[in-house]
Amino acid sequence: LDRVQPKHQKVTESIRSIRSQGVRLMGSGPKMSQNSKTKMVVLYQAAQKQCEMEHSYLEQILSDMQVGAIPQDSDEHITEGDFVAAFVEDIWILAEVKKQISTYKYEVKDVDDDDEEGEKLLTVPTGRLIPLPHFRADPRRHAHALFPVGAIVLALYPQTTCFYKGIVESPPTGPNDDYLVAFEDSTFPSGYSPTLPVPQLYVLTHCEVPQQHRKRRKSPLSSDLTDEAQSD
């Protein structure tokens, strides 16, 4: 916000100049001289330029931030307290980062862990962590920060704390709207479940699980076992 404020101040000053000049010119009579028209055009062009500069600057800031579908840079460390998708015991779970214990490892807590005897921390390599976005993207302004229709994603299955592979059927149309995601599931003829709503916060770039870590797990839609290695 501190970086944006000076840009916004220049926009405000440009608009104020137009308003002030307009009031002064209108007070001199119903007709405006060619010289006055030229001055107004110059002021409008200056204001337009300031608006465009502010817009470009905001776009640049958003491209550097973890907004919507824009992932965090791989060399950027994850902050304590951030939420992540963590690949633990052959499945992607929702977890909270508690501590960075080395350059390539973090201690995280499964959000489903409500053990009253003490906090159980899991050590997870950086390569098996996907940070959740910090901000929602507004489709009307930052469509580039959304997953498009047909994108393969890793999404939190509704009413669970686990992430599964899915395909975007419909992206959000407003900043508070959800994605509609069809989850991969072999129990359906199409190979995908009916579409389900998933908030922006829990729709991530799909990450292939290393072959040696792919095992059989239960599908969220049935009690049958689904072989992830075969369904990828």
Side-chain angles (χ1 to χ4, degrees), residues 7-230:
K7 301 286 184 183
H8 186 67
Q9 183 63 33
K10 289 184 178 180
V11 172
T12 302
E13 290 173 358
S14 297
I15 295 174
R16 188 179 294 122
S17 296
I18 293 173
R19 185 178 301 162
S20 176
Q21 182 75 354
V23 170
R24 189 177 68 81
L25 292 175
M26 292 302 294
S28 61
K31 291 186 178 181
M32 188 181 295
S33 67
Q34 185 59 43
N35 185 47
S36 296
K37 290 180 181 179
T38 301
K39 288 182 179 179
M40 288 297 293
V41 169
V42 171
L43 289 174
Y44 271 110
Q45 290 175 338
Q48 182 181 27
K49 183 177 180 180
Q50 292 298 334
C51 289
E52 290 173 349
M53 290 175 63
E54 182 187 29
H55 177 76
S56 297
Y57 191 68
L58 287 171
E59 289 281 4
Q60 181 60 46
I61 290 177
L62 285 174
S63 67
D64 294 336
M65 294 170 63
Q66 197 179 354
V67 178
I70 300 175
Q72 180 171 299
D73 290 339
S74 58
D75 58 350
E76 185 177 347
H77 81 279
I78 306 171
T79 305
E80 293 179 16
D82 282 358
F83 288 92
V84 296
F87 188 67
V88 178
E89 296 181 358
D90 311 312
I91 197 167
W92 289 99
I93 65 170
L94 179 60
E96 180 184 358
V97 173
K98 289 297 183 178
K99 183 180 180 182
Q100 182 175 10
I101 57 177
S102 71
T103 304
Y104 303 107
K105 288 184 179 180
Y106 289 83
E107 284 187 340
V108 303
K109 179 181 181 295
D110 185 346
V111 297
D112 239 5
D113 181 13
D114 54 0
D115 189 353
E116 297 180 356
E117 296 182 359
E119 192 172 65
K120 180 183 178 182
L121 299 181
L122 307 167
T123 300
V124 185
T126 305
R128 298 182 198 172
L129 296 174
I130 305 176
L132 270 59
H134 294 151
F135 304 96
R136 291 190 297 266
D138 185 344
R140 293 163 294 191
R141 296 184 178 183
H142 309 110
H144 67 284
L146 292 172
F147 291 105
V149 173
I152 302 299
V153 295
L154 193 65
L156 191 74
Y157 192 84
Q159 299 182 1
T160 76
T161 57
C162 295
F163 292 82
Y164 298 92
K165 185 178 180 180
I167 185 170
V168 173
E169 292 288 341
S170 177
T173 56
N176 297 315
D177 293 336
D178 296 337
Y179 281 94
L180 289 180
V181 178
F183 288 89
E184 188 178 69
D185 194 285
S186 59
T187 60
F188 290 88
S190 65
Y192 288 90
S193 71
T195 57
L196 294 167
V198 183
Q200 282 195 45
L201 179 65
Y202 303 116
V203 180
L204 311 172
T205 300
H206 180 258
C207 180
E208 287 290 346
V209 179
Q211 187 68 34
Q212 64 269 29
H213 295 296
R214 292 182 182 176
K215 294 185 179 180
R216 296 173 67 84
R217 62 164 172 81
K218 286 188 177 182
S219 163
L221 301 179
S222 71
S223 59
D224 297 334
L225 289 175
T226 302
D227 193 333
E228 286 189 322
Q230 293 179 357

